[in-house]
Amino acid sequence: MSFFGGGLQPQQQTVNPQNIAMAEQELDMVTDMFNRIAESCHTKCITKNYDLNDLTQAESVCIDRCVAKFFDAYQKVGEKMQQMGQQNMR
C-alpha cells in the first residue's frame, strides 16, 4: 500500500461551479489589490533614478508604511461593507 494512494481507487469528487466562480472572483480581487498596491506605492515611494541596485532605507520605510496603510484601509472598507450588507438583510 502506498502512502500516496497508489493502491486506492480514486474517489469521484464533484466540483461545485458556484465554488469555482467564487474562488475565481476572490483571486481576481486579490490580484487587483496587489496590482493597485504595487502601482500606488511604487509611484509614491520609489525615486525615478535607478542609481542603486537596492532600495534606500527611506524607500523601504515608505513602502512598508504605504502597504500597511493600504491593507488597513482595505480592511476597514471590507468591514464597513460587511456591516452594510448585514443591515440590508434585516
Side-chain angles (χ1 to χ4, degrees):
M1 181 170 153
S2 170
F3 286 111
F4 299 107
L8 301 175
Q9 291 293 328
Q11 294 179 355
Q12 289 286 7
Q13 295 181 355
T14 58
V15 177
N16 185 345
Q18 186 178 6
N19 289 347
I20 297 293
M22 287 173 45
E24 288 174 346
Q25 184 179 16
E26 185 174 355
L27 180 62
D28 289 343
M29 288 174 30
V30 169
T31 302
D32 179 59
M33 182 178 67
F34 174 82
N35 289 334
R36 286 188 287 140
I37 289 172
E39 177 67 28
S40 177
C41 294
H42 182 271
T43 301
K44 180 179 178 181
C45 298
I46 307 298
T47 60
K48 300 295 182 215
N49 57 351
Y50 298 106
D51 296 337
L52 303 173
N53 292 337
D54 295 326
L55 296 174
T56 65
Q57 184 175 0
E59 290 171 332
S60 294
V61 169
C62 181
I63 289 174
D64 287 343
R65 289 180 179 164
C66 181
V67 171
K69 287 179 181 180
F70 208 99
F71 276 118
D72 188 42
Y74 192 80
Q75 181 181 6
K76 288 179 181 179
V77 168
E79 289 171 358
K80 186 66 175 175
M81 289 178 67
Q82 189 175 21
Q83 287 174 354
M84 291 170 57
Q86 289 175 351
Q87 289 174 353
N88 289 337
M89 295 183 87
R90 294 180 188 174

